[in-house]
Amino acid sequence: MPRISIPQLRLELDEALEAPEALRRRLAAAHGLSAEALASLRISRRSLDARGRGAPRFWVTVELELPEGEALPDGARLLPAGDRPPARRVTPPPRPPLIVGSGPAGLFCALELARHGVASIVLERGHPVERRKHEVAALYRRGELDPESNVCFGEGGAGTFTDGKLSTRVRDPAVREVLEALVEHGADPEILVTNKPHLGSERLPAIVKAIREHLEAQGCELRFGARVERLLIEDGAAAGVGLAGGEELRGPHVILAAGGSARELFEHLGALPGVVEPKAFAVGLRVEHPQELIDAGQYGRWAGHPALPPADYKLVTRVGGDRGAYAFCMCPGGVVVPTPTEPGALCVNGMSASRRSSRWANSALVAEVSRADLAAWGHGEDALAGLRFQRVLEQAAFKAGGEDYAAPSSSVRAFLRGRDALAPGRSSYPRGLVPADLAALFPAALGADLRTAVGAFARKMKDFDAAEARLIGVEARTSAPISLPRGADTVSTALPGLHPCGEGCGHAGGIVSAAIDGLRVARSIVSRLAGEPL
């Protein structure tokens, strides 16, 4: 039986509580579809529309199997048959590919290579998720930082303990492939349906562990506590890696999938001609509100309806002439957490569990930083200037917070008035807050632009500057400040044998796009092994 898709079906709030039965009734009445066809119905896409003054509603796409001879309904389309092409078994290289980093880019690169019969060695400086959970808890509860294994370093990468959002602006068939792979390893199938898929920080460790066990069953080796310090270069090409402690590993393909926090490694690479280039990035603060304020502002009198999820938002403005500023990376029903990797430095991020049941909502509130900015602020013009600037901001935040991972903070209203005063009420941040002049943590021009952006957002969104709204500093790692340029074959344009991959190397931005980039690099290597033109 052919499978069809019917898009843009509207569901009212109360109908959403009884979907898919409400959809079956709708389709039977509107299109006369048979009971056999309707029995096969499944929702393949669902998005919430809370725009306008009316009640929020859902727009739904459904898929179903159409019995032979039954007419194609108006607006429906036939779905192509078949899944992705079968794996090709290629001859593995004499030495396995070396994958530096076990975040989404590294793991999905290893998964795709293994699918084609190529086992890799994955090198991760941090620890497995079972141990890593305790190290993260030690920071949250006692202010004890392990610089080798923490929220950013360890199995699964930074996303494992910072929310697990899967939203992406990437338009690529591989998005579905990544989501389906996550479901195969234990993710909730709901991520295949919603337009804002989310895993939840409490569920990600089990998913990551399942991926590890699958890779090991395919002959891959995952080594933890294996920090890569340097590249081995022979005859002008990357030939392997050197680990902390002196061990050296060689292989014809070095996939650099280290996250953006691997500063020591990028500093080593920055000394190699042409390997690293600077790129624009963004820094700022985290803004936190009571979730009920966000719900009321976004849903109006329908806030609290059982069909509605915790509300989110995204805000954009331009400040200081032509500097972009954003409130994004929203964590409804979430918490703000410390994410440092270096002693004497503090940065923050947001996360939420799968149920998003916290009473708080938080979002990144950041402004763009250009290469010209860095030069004007005295951080230089070389490829590593952005890394140095991030470190300066984080050290200032650590000092302002009292040097025990408490975070500098201010109410939104105090920040707008140029004062330092905490917002009333409790915060989700686990280490406590210290009143601070947050604008003073940044160069004067950037601090002023952040203040202007907060004022603009307060005019755009109801209760953005409510008495309970607070800002927490600093958010310094929303994106990598560097890029490692590469060609269409995913090989570094400056160093043969090196495959820069994922967010830390400037080729992705988030879990899904990083995973897709891992697939892209793996497929390039497989094509090379198969002797195909690239």
Side-chain angles (χ1 to χ4, degrees), residues 247-258:
E247 183 181 0
E248 294 183 347
L249 298 172
R250 282 174 165 74
H253 302 283
V254 178
I255 298 99
L256 183 62

Side-chain angles (χ1 to χ4, degrees), residues 81-384:
D83 296 317
R84 62 180 172 172
R88 295 170 296 169
R89 307 301 288 187
V90 298
T91 302
R95 290 192 177 101
L98 304 173
I99 300 176
V100 181
S102 69
L107 289 179
F108 273 79
C109 185
L111 284 170
E112 184 65 8
L113 288 172
R115 193 170 77 90
H116 295 279
V118 179
S120 58
I121 298 175
V122 181
L123 302 166
E124 170 57 57
R125 72 184 288 173
H127 298 141
V129 287
E130 300 95 327
R131 178 173 171 184
R132 194 177 167 206
K133 287 190 291 186
H134 300 291
E135 292 158 344
V136 170
L139 174 62
Y140 292 177
R141 296 171 185 169
R142 301 188 296 276
E144 298 173 1
L145 172 67
D146 184 337
E148 295 299 318
S149 189
N150 43 62
V151 176
C152 295
F153 297 148
E155 186 178 21
T160 303
F161 292 99
T162 53
D163 200 62
K165 277 189 287 294
L166 302 177
S167 300
T168 179
R169 292 177 291 177
V170 172
R171 302 297 181 190
D172 190 310
V175 170
R176 180 79 181 187
E177 189 176 337
V178 168
L179 299 181
E180 288 177 346
L182 291 169
V183 171
E184 288 172 9
H185 291 95
D188 189 336
E190 172 70 9
I191 67 172
L192 300 174
V193 176
T194 179
N195 71 320
K196 294 181 179 179
H198 172 247
L199 293 170
S201 293
E202 89 283 19
R203 291 185 176 177
L204 265 161
I207 296 168
V208 169
K209 180 182 177 183
I211 293 174
R212 179 218 309 164
E213 292 171 345
H214 173 81
L215 288 173
E216 289 175 336
Q218 301 302 307
C220 298
E221 180 183 357
L222 285 86
R223 295 182 56 177
F224 299 100
R227 175 159 59 88
V228 172
E229 284 190 327
R230 65 194 187 282
L231 287 182
L232 306 180
I233 301 175
E234 297 176 0
D235 299 324
V241 298
L243 305 184
E247 183 181 0
E248 294 183 347
L249 298 172
R250 282 174 165 74
H253 302 283
V254 178
I255 298 99
L256 183 62
S261 296
R263 289 173 176 164
E264 305 98 330
L265 180 55
F266 290 124
E267 287 166 349
H268 160 69
L269 295 171
L272 304 177
V275 173
V276 180
E277 292 182 351
K279 76 173 184 64
F281 60 110
V283 298
L285 304 161
R286 205 83 194 170
V287 59
E288 182 178 64
H289 297 85
Q291 181 64 53
E292 63 181 4
L293 285 183
I294 307 300
D295 291 346
Q298 300 296 84
Y299 297 147
R301 66 185 180 87
W302 293 277
H305 191 284
L308 289 173
D312 61 10
Y313 64 85
K314 182 177 181 180
L315 298 166
V316 180
T317 191
R318 302 207 75 82
V319 294
D322 199 35
R323 190 191 306 279
Y326 317 92
F328 79 117
C329 191
M330 169 75 184
C331 296
V335 299
V336 181
V337 294
T339 58
T341 58
E342 299 175 341
L346 172 66
C347 54
V348 299
N349 205 332
M351 59 80 67
S352 49
S354 57
R355 295 181 60 190
R356 289 180 157 166
S357 56
S358 164
R359 56 175 289 203
W360 294 282
N362 69 79
S363 175
L365 196 159
V366 297
E368 294 172 341
V369 175
S370 69
R371 189 176 185 181
D373 288 328
L374 295 173
W377 299 335
H379 297 282
E381 298 184 71
D382 61 285
L384 302 179

